[in-house]
């Protein structure tokens, strides 16, 4: 009996509960229904503050209120502190009227005076500390006087910071646009995309390209560039800039591209710094093998150098080495077994040594040529042929009267004989380019490749020199110019027959026989001419003097500046 009663009671309770829910819903429904619905045409219900509907909105609102409150507090604080400072100003201003009227005022004034004094001492200390220092230390943080009360010392700097360069013509031409990118009104409205304005703007931007980009000075004209051309130019400029940077880095590391590498600069700097040279003016010639500078001479070893000097700096262009090996290989003074294996930097010094030795020997026998002053590695200082920084003209370019040209021819013939017979040398690159005309005289220059007459190819080189000189004087209508063969025989005292190629073949044959003979008598030749006593002695004296000045010829500088080795091949 009990079971069914319980079931019944539960159902009953459930029924009662349902009835209550339904009743509440009914009451609520009645409540809603009882509120009159607003007419769609009526006024919208007025709500003073929108009620936030979700948690995030509530939080955002609180956060923004917090911010506003903090901001207001900050503003108030600053205002208060400024007010205080203004008050000090007012107090000090009032001080003029009655200085002792206020104790606080007096205390503040005294404090200010004390602080100023303290700062002055601090500045004096700062000056003292920084007097001999390259890096200066600032005591700014230890100063007591508020910047507002300092004297006007820093004002200029501040003004400098605010300095704006004057507007260029270009900037003036471009109008200032409104926010929407237009200017003007009605019919005259112009947008910032206007063709003319864009064109001018592009042209103006062109002026800001790096100085290497030769954009010209377009400020004075109304230049316009369309976008396509501007973009092309910009891309080109950027690419050139990058290339230039790469090239610059490369050049800085080699003597090949540019003569003025770090080593050369160091040598020149030392020569000037030690008073050997007074100053270096600038380059007078840039050839494929060397660069020649003009300089004013100083003093070395108690001797005064000539007032004007020429500095020849040899380049290490790899191709030149390949071509020039033949001038060294057969010259017993300079040929070294390991010539090809040597560091190119050391090899270029040979050209300096060779030119020095040849010039000295030529000078000894009275050939007009520059007088060697100092040789330091690949830098040769010699006397300057010319005046007031103007090098004497080359025979190729000088305008001479017929008589002078005739004179030049006769002098050249004589000099060629002296070089061969007395100096026992062959120039090997004699031409109108390596002969200067100065004070009615012929001057022989550029003798770094000149060889001893014992050189295996000396006679061939001599015949080439004869050919170039006779053809030049013939072209200038000089009387009595011999054929190259005649000149060759005249200089050498030989009687080789034939002409042209046949003559050359005979010369070669003769040279070969001579070389074989030379091998037998080599000791005699080398004894007689290997490193002239004169040359060696003068070189040693100069080297010692340079050593004393700290311009040593040691390898340490080279090693300190050593970079990746370059190959001759
Ligand atoms: P490269 O081997 O480059 O031809 P050079 O010795 O011929 O070198 O010199 C190049 C140029 O420098 C000459 O043509 C000449 O104008 C000038 N020059 C060289 N040496 C002197 C000097 N001592 N005095 C005046 N000018 C010189
Ligand atoms: Mg030359």
């Amino acid at each position: 009996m009990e079971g069914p009663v319980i079931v019944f009671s539960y159902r009953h309770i459930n029924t009662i509960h349902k009835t209550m829910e339904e009743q509440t819903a009914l009451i609520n429904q009645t409540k809603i229904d009882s509120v009159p619905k607003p007419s769609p045409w009526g006024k919208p219900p007025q709500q003073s503050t929108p009620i936030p509907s979700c948690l995030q909105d509530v939080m955002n609102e609180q956060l923004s209120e917090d911010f506003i409150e903090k901001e207001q507090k900050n503003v108030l604080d600053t205002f208060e502190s400024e007010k205080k400072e203004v008050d000090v100003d007012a107090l000090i201003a009032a001080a003029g009227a009655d200085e002792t009227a206020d104790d606080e005022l007096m205390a503040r004034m005294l404090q200010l005076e004390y602080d100023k004094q303290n700062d002055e001492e601090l500045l004096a200390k700062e000056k003292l500390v920084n007097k001999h220092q390259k890096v200066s230390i600032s005591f700014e943080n230890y100063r007591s006087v508020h910047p507002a009360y300092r004297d006007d010392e820093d004002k200029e700097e501040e003004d400098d910071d605010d300095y704006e360069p004057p507007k260029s013509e270009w900037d003036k031409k471009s109008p200032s646009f409104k926010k929407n990118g237009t200017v003007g009104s009605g019919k005259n409205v112009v947008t910032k995309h206007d063709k003319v304005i864009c064109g001018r703007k592009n042209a103006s931007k062109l002026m800001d390209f790096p100085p290497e980009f030769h954009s010209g000075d377009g400020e004075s004209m109304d230049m316009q560039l369309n976008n396509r051309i501007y973009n092309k130019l910009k891309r080109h400029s950027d690419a050139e800039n990058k290339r230039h940077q790469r090239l610059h880095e490369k050049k800085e590391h080699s003597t090949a591209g540019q003569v003025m590498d770090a080593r050369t600069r160091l040598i020149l700097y030392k020569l000037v710094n030690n008073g050997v040279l007074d100053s270096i003016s600038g380059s007078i010639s840039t050839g494929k093998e060397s660069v020649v500078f003009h300089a004013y001479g100083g003093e070395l070893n108690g001797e005064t150098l000539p007032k004007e000097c020429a500095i020849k700096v040899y380049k290490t262009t790899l191709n030149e080495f390949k071509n020039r090996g033949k001038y060294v290989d057969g010259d017993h003074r300079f040929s070294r077994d390991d010539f090809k294996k040597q560091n190119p930097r050391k090899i270029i010094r040979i050209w300096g040594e060779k030119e020095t030795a040849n010039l000295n020997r030529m000078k000894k026998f009275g050939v007009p040529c520059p007088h060697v002053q100092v040789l330091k590695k690949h830098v040769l200082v010699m006397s300057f042929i010319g005046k007031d920084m103007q090098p004497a003209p080359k025979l190729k370019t000088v305008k001479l009267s017929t008589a002078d040209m005739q004179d030049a021819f006769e002098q050249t013939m004589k000099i060629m004989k002296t070089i061969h017979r007395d100096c026992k040398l062959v120039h090997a690159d004699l031409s109108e380019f390596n002969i200067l005309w100065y004070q009615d005289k012929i001057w022989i220059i550029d003798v770094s490749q000149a060889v001893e007459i014992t050189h295996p190819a000396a006679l061939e080189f001599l015949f080439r020199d004869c050919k170039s000189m006779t053809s030049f004087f013939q072209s200038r209508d000089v009387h009595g110019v011999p054929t190259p063969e005649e000149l060759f025989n005249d200089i050498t005292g030989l009687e080789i027959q034939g002409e042209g190629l046949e003559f050359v073949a005979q010369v070669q044959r003769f040279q070969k026989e001579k070389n074989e003979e030379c091998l037998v008598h080599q000791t005699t030749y080398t004894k007689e001419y290997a490193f002239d006593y004169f040359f060696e002695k003068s070189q040693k004296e100069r080297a010692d003097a340079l050593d004393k000045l700290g311009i040593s010829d040691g390898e340490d500088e080279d090693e300190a500046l050593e970079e990746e080795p370059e190959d001759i091949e």
Side-chain angles (χ1 to χ4, degrees):
M1 261 302 282
E2 266 182 35
V5 171
I6 291 165
V7 170
F8 171 72
S9 330
Y10 179 77
R11 270 187 190 164
H12 185 66
I13 291 164
N14 246 0
T15 323
I16 293 168
H17 184 75
K18 247 188 194 169
T19 328
M20 278 177 76
E21 257 184 10
E22 277 164 14
Q23 276 176 354
T24 326
L26 205 71
I27 292 163
N28 282 345
Q29 184 62 43
T30 332
K31 265 188 189 170
I32 292 165
D33 285 346
S34 65
V35 177
K37 274 190 182 170
S39 154
W41 308 110
K43 277 187 181 175
Q46 295 230 324
Q47 281 183 347
S48 53
T49 40
I51 302 158
S53 51
C54 73
L55 181 65
Q56 202 186 351
D57 285 352
V58 175
M59 286 185 67
N60 281 350
E61 205 151 287
Q62 274 177 358
L63 206 66
S64 75
E65 270 169 17
D66 276 358
F67 268 134
I68 291 166
E69 210 171 294
K70 264 189 199 163
E71 200 57 36
Q72 279 173 348
K73 202 167 171 287
N74 274 349
V75 171
L76 276 175
D77 284 351
T78 339
F79 180 68
E80 280 299 313
S81 64
E82 272 175 10
K83 224 170 102 186
K84 257 189 204 162
E85 281 173 14
V86 170
D87 283 347
V88 179
D89 271 341
L91 285 170
I92 292 171
D98 188 358
E99 287 178 6
T100 51
D102 192 326
D103 282 349
E104 190 196 349
L105 165 69
M106 274 186 66
R108 279 181 190 279
M109 280 173 68
L110 284 172
Q111 183 65 46
L112 193 66
E113 280 308 309
Y114 174 77
D115 286 347
K116 274 185 178 170
Q117 221 171 334
N118 188 43
D119 278 8
E120 266 169 27
E121 276 173 32
L122 207 70
L123 280 177
K125 265 189 205 167
E126 184 183 313
K127 262 189 192 165
L128 202 73
V129 168
N130 294 329
K131 201 174 174 188
H132 300 296
Q133 302 295 330
K134 279 187 183 159
V135 179
S136 57
I137 298 164
S138 165
F139 286 14
E140 176 65 29
N141 289 349
Y142 298 101
R143 289 175 74 170
S144 320
V145 181
H146 189 279
Y149 294 112
R150 282 182 201 161
D151 299 328
D152 278 348
E153 53 178 12
D154 302 330
K155 272 198 175 163
E156 265 178 37
E157 271 178 37
E158 280 168 20
D159 288 348
D160 276 359
D161 289 346
D162 292 343
Y163 173 79
E164 263 188 39
K167 276 194 165 192
S168 71
E169 285 296 313
W170 294 103
D171 295 333
K172 283 180 209 160
K173 276 177 207 160
S174 119
S176 35
F177 292 98
K178 289 183 221 157
K179 263 187 183 169
N180 62 1
T182 61
V183 68
S185 55
K187 262 188 186 175
N188 300 327
V189 72
V190 178
T191 75
K192 63 180 177 186
H193 301 295
D194 182 77
K195 215 173 149 190
V196 176
I197 288 172
C198 270
R200 280 190 191 138
K201 224 174 166 182
N202 287 340
S204 146
K205 283 197 271 182
L206 195 71
M207 299 295 129
D208 292 335
F209 279 14
E212 291 78 28
F213 193 97
H214 299 292
S215 51
D217 180 12
E219 287 230 354
S220 46
M221 27 171 171
D222 190 10
M223 192 160 78
Q224 291 165 29
L225 269 184
N226 78 30
N227 288 350
R228 198 171 54 87
I229 292 175
Y230 171 78
N231 287 337
K232 265 195 171 176
L233 288 173
K234 177 91 180 94
R235 270 197 300 275
H236 177 70
S237 163
D238 289 348
E240 276 296 293
N241 211 15
K242 273 187 195 158
R243 198 180 67 88
H244 184 75
Q245 295 243 317
R246 270 201 312 271
L247 224 75
H248 178 71
E249 279 165 23
K250 221 175 156 188
K251 275 180 185 172
E252 271 297 292
H253 290 90
S254 75
T255 334
Q258 219 188 28
V259 164
M260 293 301 276
D261 67 339
R263 280 178 187 77
T264 314
R265 279 201 294 262
L266 190 68
I267 294 171
L268 295 180
Y269 168 80
K270 281 187 173 181
L271 287 174
V272 174
N273 212 27
N274 289 301
V276 179
L277 293 176
D278 218 42
S279 61
I280 298 170
S281 333
S283 93
I284 44 178
S285 147
T286 313
K288 58 183 175 19
E289 288 156 11
S290 70
V291 173
V292 180
F293 297 94
H294 175 273
Y296 287 101
E299 205 187 89
L300 176 64
N301 210 18
E303 287 171 42
T304 318
L305 265 68
K307 191 175 164 247
E308 291 184 80
C309 292
I311 310 173
K312 189 165 177 178
V313 180
Y314 301 88
K315 289 190 189 180
T316 56
T317 325
L318 308 183
N319 276 339
E320 300 317 320
F321 272 108
K322 266 197 210 165
N323 298 339
R324 293 185 122 215
K326 60 177 183 274
Y327 297 104
V328 167
D329 275 346
D331 196 325
H332 61 79
R333 300 170 301 167
F334 302 97
S335 57
R336 294 166 193 186
D337 294 340
D338 55 350
F339 176 78
K340 286 205 175 79
K341 285 180 213 150
Q342 284 211 35
N343 176 347
R345 274 184 216 301
K346 287 177 188 158
I347 292 172
I348 59 162
R349 288 193 212 170
I350 295 175
W351 302 115
E353 284 174 26
K354 230 169 153 340
E355 182 130 33
T356 307
N358 292 336
L359 283 175
N360 279 337
R361 183 146 350 140
M362 280 164 47
K363 195 100 221 152
K364 187 178 166 185
F365 292 100
V367 176
C369 63
H371 191 173
V372 175
Q373 303 299 315
V374 174
L375 170 69
K376 174 70 190 159
K377 292 178 183 172
H378 60 290
V379 176
L380 170 65
V381 181
M382 55 186 150
S383 59
F384 184 69
I385 315 295
K387 207 172 173 248
D388 298 333
M389 287 175 66
Q390 284 294 318
K394 297 180 189 79
L395 204 54
K396 166 82 186 167
T397 51
V398 71
K399 296 257 177 298
L400 291 183
S401 64
T402 321
D404 279 346
M405 193 49 94
Q406 190 70 35
D407 188 21
F409 160 69
E410 274 149 26
Q411 284 187 42
T412 310
M413 296 300 113
K414 204 170 157 238
I415 286 170
M416 283 179 84
K417 280 177 201 156
T418 314
I419 293 178
H420 190 82
R421 294 177 187 171
D422 301 330
C423 308
K424 310 278 183 211
L425 289 173
V426 173
H427 189 291
D429 193 17
L430 195 66
S431 72
E432 58 275 30
F433 294 94
N434 286 329
I435 295 176
L436 305 183
W437 180 257
Y438 182 58
Q439 292 176 337
D440 297 333
K441 260 171 79 177
I442 286 287
W443 294 77
I444 306 290
I445 59 160
D446 201 359
V447 292
S448 60
Q449 71 295 310
V451 293
E452 291 253 327
I453 51 166
T454 53
H455 186 282
L459 290 180
E460 269 177 72
F461 292 152
L462 178 65
F463 185 62
R464 200 175 59 190
D465 285 353
C466 291
K467 270 207 304 202
S468 70
M469 285 330 298
T470 49
S471 80
F472 169 74
F473 286 115
Q474 246 159 15
S475 75
R476 299 293 147 113
D477 295 329
V478 170
H479 291 294
V481 180
T483 61
E485 293 83 3
E486 280 166 358
L487 181 59
F488 179 89
N489 281 340
D490 191 18
I491 291 173
T492 54
L494 299 169
E495 284 174 1
I496 294 176
Q497 300 298 310
E499 247 180 66
L501 285 177
E502 196 201 321
F503 187 86
V504 178
Q506 290 225 44
V507 168
Q508 281 169 344
R509 220 173 304 137
F510 181 79
Q511 181 85 62
K512 214 174 153 212
E513 282 168 25
K514 203 169 146 246
N515 289 347
E516 280 156 16
E517 194 189 317
C518 269
L519 279 174
V520 182
H521 301 289
Q522 202 180 27
T523 40
T524 355
Y525 274 110
T526 44
K527 239 187 210 164
E528 201 176 342
Y529 297 112
F531 295 106
D532 276 4
Y533 170 74
F534 175 77
F535 161 64
E536 270 205 278
K537 193 168 165 263
S538 72
Q539 277 309 110
K540 198 167 177 329
E541 277 170 12
R542 298 253 156 153
D544 288 348
L546 284 177
D547 269 353
K548 267 187 218 155
L549 287 172
I551 316 177
S552 76
D553 218 3
E555 303 298 297
D556 35 331
E557 281 165 23
D558 262 5
E559 271 153 29
L561 291 164
E562 207 56 75
E563 294 136 16
E564 329 93 74
E566 291 162 27
D567 280 331
I568 304 174
E569 294 304 324

